[in-house]
Amino acid sequence: MNRAPATLSHALTRVTEAALGPYQSAVIRIGFALTWLLYLLREFPYRQELYGPSGPWSLAMVRRLTGDNHAFTALTWVNGQPWFEFCYALAVLAGAALLVGWRTRTASVLFMVGVVSLQNRSIFIGDGGDNVLHLMSIYLVFTRCGQVWSLDARRAARAAAARARGERVRADRTGPALWAVLGLALVTATATGRLFGNSWLIPALLWAVWAALGLWWLVQRRARSDEPRILLDVIANVLHNGALVVIMAEACLIYATAGWYKIQGSRWQDGTAVYYPLHLDYFTPWPGLAGLLSASATMLTIVAYGTVTVQVAFPFTLFNRRVKNVLLVLLILEHAVIAVALGLPFFSLAMITADAVFLPTSFLLRIGRLAARARGRFVREGGGTVPAPRSPEESTSGHVGFTA
Amino acid sequence: MAVGVGVHLLMVFLSVAPPNAVSKQHGKAVEAWVFPEFEQNWKLFAPNPLQQNIAVQVRAEVRMKDGGLITTGWTDLSAQDGAAIHGNLAPSHAQQNELRRGWDFLTATHTDDNRPVGMRGALSEDYLRRIVVLRLYRTDPTSRDGVIQRVQVRSRTTNVQPPSWSDEQVPDKPYYRELPWWTVRADEAAGGVR
């Protein structure tokens, strides 16, 4: 009779004492940031047409639509070209900062503002990939996704090593400065009535994160006892773990919806479904490849049935590690083929990233070691003076689980 | 926190599930929660993939420098998109989505006899007109020499022919949907992105 409460308290301890899945949350941070960054760079020559103030979907039209659907976008705050260019550049920088894990929490907030602003400004030019990024950019804000494989983690490890050697660590100046600048921006945007002018959810989130970061800094520096620090840590861990659950559930929902609706389709039943997208003019960058892929009736049927089976089955296989991993490989492979065959690289990269949240830690660690070794070789050949990279475990010891 | 996660996931689930007793009863609450920032549609190629190529074509009435009025032939803008996508590892959204989804937006907000429905119907006409004017000034020689006065848009729908091993028969004659002529506003003709 005592087992249930014991299990419950064990679970409670787990979700409060640590931000789980440090490598998984880092890999999705890197993946989504990379997808968005590559997308923005690819669209740079087309940015005026897609998002610019004088594009076909003009600012006046944006205002009429967002006034009706109350979607958040910073791009309507100021008219004119300079504001747009500033926002686009900021979106690129936020993507880069999140990719390398520089001031990760702040970067994730700015990343979300960039993604949501650009997408909500021009909702009719996006596709499924944009939709994935949109949701994930919001969820990522709640995660501690910079615990490993980030500049933040490296900085923290160096500070800890210096402290261990008995050296004094210089107080961080960049963080408070960044916080002050963003605070000024928030005050300005709020006071001029722009921030909350059309929506409340994202603006409220921005203020909440800003306030929390301030509180965090204050407690780290000034608190006399350990308790406030531990309390904030617990809250951050619970938020992180909750967000990670949402991210995983969202990925399952994507596959479940896609799979269960396909089952009802006659083309998926007769096995020709895959043939048709491969013959749509908007999705055949390589007609020769499309022809090759759709040459065999048997192959097409196997792929159609396989796709539906894997998509429907995926959420249930999470209960079995080995089967889950096999399905993950299949899903990632399929998205890699879609990237090329249907000309949807950004959609595919976003989906592969969503899949990556389910990759086993041991596999991610192996990838991390390979990357570190490759980098070490590269840096040494370059004759650089950068110190040899730490292995992931080394650089994160003491940061993965807060056991205070 | 657990409650928050549970409620959010339930709301999102109800928004993607088929209409059911629960979602009918609480549709307003689900909508209020999910829109606008958590909207999603994952019916990717489902229940059936699109089996038609829909091309958007346009012709224009152009005032030339000598004062004459010329009506151009039809320009297939989707064919231009297709050519740009051909052999492209990373097609731009401007090539793959802009016109295609612009047309979807228009058909979703218009009656079968091409009358706009509500604000979105009107917006979709403005949007599509601005897209085609932009494209014409960029690529159509006649339009580049003069000033576009009016444009007409039509869609050309062709069935994708079934695979060679299939004994299915589908008509291969294209189907046209022609919209009324639209007047191009003076500021549109002069400005915009080129």
Side-chain angles (χ1 to χ4, degrees), chain A residues 86-380:
Chain A
F86 171 76
C87 289
Y88 200 91
L90 199 66
V92 171
L93 289 177
L98 188 65
L99 176 73
V100 296
W102 183 79
R103 309 285 162 179
T104 311
R105 186 78 70 167
T106 305
S108 74
V109 172
L110 291 175
F111 176 74
M112 171 189 75
V113 170
V115 170
V116 172
S117 288
L118 284 165
Q119 291 188 358
N120 284 348
R121 189 225 172 273
S122 301
I123 56 168
F124 297 111
I125 53 112
D127 52 35
D130 295 85
N131 204 168
V132 174
L133 277 178
H134 188 112
L135 297 165
M136 296 302 184
S137 76
I138 300 175
Y139 298 150
L140 268 182
V141 169
F142 294 91
T143 64
R144 307 181 90 169
C145 53
Q147 299 177 93
V148 298
W149 294 341
S150 68
L151 293 183
D152 283 352
R154 192 177 71 172
R155 196 157 36 90
R158 283 181 180 170
R163 262 194 300 273
R165 288 193 302 270
E167 296 166 16
R168 264 196 64 193
V169 181
R170 268 188 57 192
D172 174 33
R173 297 267 169 81
T174 318
L178 196 60
W179 184 77
V181 169
L182 293 175
L184 197 66
L186 278 178
V187 168
T188 312
T190 308
T192 52
R194 291 192 168 90
L195 188 63
F196 287 89
N198 187 49
S199 60
W200 63 270
L201 184 74
I202 304 282
L205 184 58
L206 295 181
W207 270 114
V209 178
W210 184 80
L213 282 172
L215 187 66
W216 184 270
W217 182 82
L218 207 66
V219 165
Q220 299 289 337
R221 296 268 319 237
R222 298 282 156 86
R224 293 209 182 87
S225 68
D226 267 343
E227 270 129 38
R229 206 172 299 155
I230 296 170
L231 177 68
L232 284 189
D233 208 47
V234 165
I235 295 174
N237 287 339
V238 171
L239 281 174
H240 166 97
N241 292 328
L244 213 53
V245 168
V246 170
I247 289 171
M248 291 193 279
E250 184 70 62
C252 289
L253 213 54
I254 293 174
Y255 286 126
T257 315
W260 287 105
Y261 281 107
K262 281 192 183 84
I263 282 192
Q264 306 165 34
S266 54
R267 291 301 182 198
W268 292 96
Q269 291 168 8
D270 73 17
T272 58
V274 181
Y275 171 89
Y276 290 96
L278 288 170
H279 288 81
L280 292 178
D281 295 338
Y282 271 100
F283 299 98
T284 37
W286 317 99
L289 177 67
L292 202 69
L293 287 174
S294 56
S296 151
T298 319
M299 274 306 295
L300 275 183
T301 309
I302 292 173
V303 173
Y305 276 47
T307 300
V308 175
T309 311
V310 169
Q311 288 188 337
V312 169
F314 182 71
F316 302 104
T317 64
L318 294 183
F319 296 104
N320 183 305
R321 220 178 122 79
R322 206 169 292 169
V323 183
K324 180 236 354 174
N325 288 340
V326 172
L327 257 59
L328 263 187
V329 171
L330 291 174
L331 284 169
I332 290 174
L333 272 179
E334 178 156 30
H335 281 123
V337 174
I338 286 176
V340 180
L342 298 183
L344 294 167
F346 302 109
F347 163 76
S348 297
L349 199 51
M351 286 310 299
I352 290 174
T353 303
D355 294 335
V357 80
F358 298 105
L359 287 173
T361 305
S362 56
F363 175 77
L364 291 173
L365 282 174
R366 206 177 316 150
I367 298 274
R369 273 196 294 273
L370 281 175
R373 205 174 303 151
R375 203 186 125 221
R377 200 168 303 148
F378 178 76
V379 171
R380 228 168 294 140

Side-chain angles (χ1 to χ4, degrees), chain A residues 39 42-43 46 48-51 54-58 61 64-65 68-72 116 120 123-128 130-132 134-135 138-139 201-202 238-239 242-243 245-246 249-250 253-254 257-258 261-262 264-268 270 272-273 275-277 279-287 294-297 300 339-340 342-347, chain B residues 1-2 4-5 8-9 12-13 16-19 33 35-56 77-79 81-82 85-102 105 119-120 122-128 130-131 134-135 138 160-166 168 170 191-193:
Chain A
Y39 171 74
R42 195 273 165 271
E43 298 296 9
Y46 296 92
Q48 305 298 350
E49 188 176 338
L50 297 174
Y51 303 107
S54 48
W57 186 246
S58 71
M61 293 155 78
R64 278 178 71 191
L65 191 68
D68 183 54
N69 69 8
H70 300 290
F72 174 87
V116 172
N120 284 348
I123 56 168
F124 297 111
I125 53 112
D127 52 35
D130 295 85
N131 204 168
V132 174
H134 188 112
L135 297 165
I138 300 175
Y139 298 150
L201 184 74
I202 304 282
V238 171
L239 281 174
V245 168
V246 170
E250 184 70 62
L253 213 54
I254 293 174
T257 315
Y261 281 107
K262 281 192 183 84
Q264 306 165 34
S266 54
R267 291 301 182 198
W268 292 96
D270 73 17
T272 58
Y275 171 89
Y276 290 96
H279 288 81
L280 292 178
D281 295 338
Y282 271 100
F283 299 98
T284 37
W286 317 99
S294 56
S296 151
L300 275 183
V340 180
L342 298 183
L344 294 167
F346 302 109
F347 163 76
Chain B
M1 183 65 205
V5 168
H8 179 70
L9 292 179
V12 173
F13 171 79
V16 297
W33 186 284
F35 286 96
E37 305 301 354
F38 298 108
E39 182 186 0
Q40 40 203 298
N41 173 17
W42 307 121
K43 296 182 190 175
L44 308 164
F45 301 120
N48 274 326
L50 185 66
Q51 293 152 59
Q52 296 167 326
N53 275 306
I54 303 169
V56 179
L77 298 178
S78 296
D81 283 342
I85 290 166
H86 201 108
N88 195 337
L89 270 176
S92 166
H93 278 18
Q95 296 149 354
Q96 205 168 31
N97 295 349
E98 186 182 85
L99 188 63
R100 181 175 66 85
R101 288 210 53 207
F105 179 33
M119 178 194 71
R120 282 162 196 253
L123 275 177
S124 73
E125 287 188 5
D126 288 349
Y127 183 40
L128 193 63
R130 291 170 63 97
I131 295 175
L134 169 78
R135 300 281 183 98
R138 207 184 271 161
V160 172
Q161 286 304 306
S164 51
W165 66 82
S166 165
E168 214 177 313
V170 297
V193 188

Side-chain angles (χ1 to χ4, degrees), chain B residues 147-166:
Chain B
V147 177
I148 300 175
Q149 306 293 309
R150 299 198 303 158
V151 288
Q152 188 183 27
V153 175
R154 72 175 183 189
S155 68
R156 177 185 189 272
T157 304
T158 339
N159 289 314
V160 172
Q161 286 304 306
S164 51
W165 66 82
S166 165

